[in-house]
Amino acid sequence: MMKLYSDRDGCKFFLAVEKTKKNASLSIDRVNYLSGYLLELFFSNGKIKKVDLKNFLLKAQNPMTAKYRNLKLFKKVKIENGDLSWGKNGEMDLSAGSLYKWKEQER
């Protein structure tokens, strides 16, 4: 599984991590596509967040991530093992923990 991290400068990057009980405690139970790159996430702890991935995707330089700027592909988001996933074999995965900390969409 790939986990999304941020460095001190706010640059986001992925690292391969093994899913353990410690980082498996928080999961995404449901995802709703809203519009553009905005998703509504329902977490296992009852929290509901709206997360906009537009800036993340626009800044992505990795072609495997950048291809999800295409809304037709982006809308095919699914939940695998409690995390968001796109494509075959998790071409792009975002962990529940990372998304939980993501700045929520302003209402």
Side-chain angles (χ1 to χ4, degrees):
M1 179 177 116
M2 300 295 281
K3 187 170 180 181
L4 178 68
Y5 290 92
S6 295
D7 66 15
R8 291 182 195 168
D9 298 321
C11 296
K12 296 191 179 354
F13 58 93
F14 292 96
L15 287 179
V17 294
E18 183 178 328
K19 198 160 201 169
T20 63
K21 288 182 181 178
K22 182 180 177 184
N23 63 14
S25 60
L26 184 67
S27 62
I28 298 170
D29 294 333
R30 192 171 95 206
V31 58
N32 290 337
Y33 171 79
L34 298 176
S35 65
Y37 301 98
L38 185 63
L39 301 173
E40 183 177 42
L41 307 176
F42 296 78
F43 291 90
S44 57
N45 65 358
K47 175 101 173 157
I48 301 170
K49 290 184 72 169
K50 291 180 182 176
V51 176
D52 192 343
L53 299 176
K54 182 178 180 177
N55 288 334
F56 166 72
L57 289 169
L58 291 177
K59 292 178 184 177
Q61 295 181 3
N62 181 325
M64 296 296 284
T65 302
K67 78 181 206 176
Y68 292 99
R69 292 177 192 147
N70 178 324
L71 282 174
K72 185 176 178 180
L73 295 176
F74 181 78
K75 290 178 184 181
K76 294 182 180 182
V77 62
K78 58 187 177 266
I79 298 171
E80 288 186 1
N81 300 316
D83 299 320
L84 293 188
S85 184
W86 288 263
K88 293 182 180 180
N89 301 318
E91 284 179 331
M92 182 172 84
D93 287 319
L94 298 176
S95 72
S98 296
L99 290 163
Y100 191 79
K101 295 174 188 173
W102 206 285
K103 184 179 177 184
E104 190 165 357
Q105 169 70 24
E106 299 294 327
R107 292 180 191 172

